[in-house]
């Protein structure tokens, strides 16, 4: 299994709006993608940051979503809420 981890700095006071967009718009689309396993959103209002983890059966399926533009389209939904571009990494789940 593999996980795509994105760390994002967000504008103050925007976490609730971000959670709503993830629940109503992003997650329903991502859940339909081949190889998707699960999704977690971690929020830190003190630091105005979030971490987004999406788990996939293969690294290939993560890259298919990224190269198709779906990842970028989802990021664009948060254009006025993110204070910085996501820092994205892909890891193999080892334990």
């Amino acid at each position: 299994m593999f996980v795509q981890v994105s760390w994002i700095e967000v504008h103050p006071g925007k976490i609730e709006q971000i959670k709503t967009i993830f629940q109503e718009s992003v997650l329903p689309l991502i859940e339909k993608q081949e190889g998707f396993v699960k999704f977690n959103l971690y929020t830190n209002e003190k630091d105005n940051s979030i971490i987004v983890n999406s788990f996939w059966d293969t690294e290939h399926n993560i890259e298919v979503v990224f190269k198709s533009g779906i990842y970028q389209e989802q990021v664009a939904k948060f254009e006025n809420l993110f204070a910085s571009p996501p820092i994205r990494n892909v890891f193999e789940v080892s334990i």
Side-chain angles (χ1 to χ4, degrees):
M1 185 176 344
F2 289 82
V3 61
Q4 176 176 259
V5 179
S6 298
W7 179 87
I8 306 127
E9 185 178 350
V10 301
H11 292 295
K14 300 298 183 182
I15 298 246
E16 288 304 315
Q17 190 175 354
I18 288 168
K19 288 181 348 187
T20 298
I21 294 170
F22 270 109
Q23 288 175 332
E24 295 177 359
S25 181
V26 175
L27 195 50
L29 176 68
I30 296 302
E31 288 176 325
K32 295 177 185 174
Q33 303 308 307
E34 183 175 344
F36 174 81
V37 176
K38 81 177 197 178
F39 172 92
N40 296 106
L41 172 65
Y42 304 96
T43 60
N44 185 329
E45 291 196 37
K46 292 178 191 173
D47 292 339
N48 295 309
S49 62
I50 63 172
I51 296 174
V52 181
N53 289 351
S54 58
F55 293 82
W56 301 80
D57 62 349
T58 66
E59 186 173 15
H60 171 76
N61 284 330
I62 293 173
E63 293 308 315
V64 165
V65 169
F66 186 77
K67 290 178 181 176
S68 73
I70 291 173
Y71 178 89
Q72 295 82 349
E73 290 169 4
Q74 302 319 297
V75 169
K77 294 176 182 180
F78 301 93
E79 185 175 11
N80 297 322
L81 305 173
F82 289 176
S84 66
I87 297 171
R88 175 186 172 268
N89 285 295
V90 175
F91 300 92
E92 184 172 8
V93 177
S94 298
I95 297 178

